[in-house]
Amino acid sequence: MGRVLLPEHVFREYDIRGTLDEITPDFVRVVVRTYVLKWLGPGAKVVLARDLRSSSAELAEAAIDGLKEAGAQIWD
């Protein structure tokens, strides 16, 4: 996998919003992993939830991958 582009305009004050062209599984994996490593630390306990959009399952799997890479404990 190559470099993952993180478009700055999708980061808002309280959330991340963008299209599926911008919020890709690779994007989610990198952002989740980075957040855990920078703010929570390995071993952090994280609850993962999702909504019923068709894209949620794939993005949740990417989030789980990022959480595992960062060493987090996951409740899905």
Side-chain angles (χ1 to χ4, degrees):
M1 175 181 18
R3 186 178 178 135
V4 176
L5 296 177
L6 303 177
E8 289 184 35
H9 71 274
V10 302
F11 294 95
R12 308 291 173 91
E13 189 171 346
Y14 296 104
D15 62 4
I16 298 172
R17 292 190 180 260
T19 65
L20 289 176
D21 292 335
E22 298 164 326
I23 311 297
T24 64
D26 285 338
F27 174 97
V28 171
R29 185 184 52 75
V30 168
V31 169
V32 168
R33 183 185 66 215
T34 302
Y35 183 84
V36 170
L37 292 174
K38 182 168 178 70
W39 298 106
L40 303 178
K45 296 177 182 177
V46 178
V47 175
L48 180 67
R50 66 185 67 79
D51 61 22
L52 296 175
R53 285 178 254 200
S54 60
S55 58
S56 292
E58 182 179 27
L59 296 178
E61 287 302 316
I64 290 169
D65 291 344
L67 291 166
K68 287 179 180 177
E69 290 172 12
Q73 297 178 42
I74 307 158
W75 282 269
D76 182 11

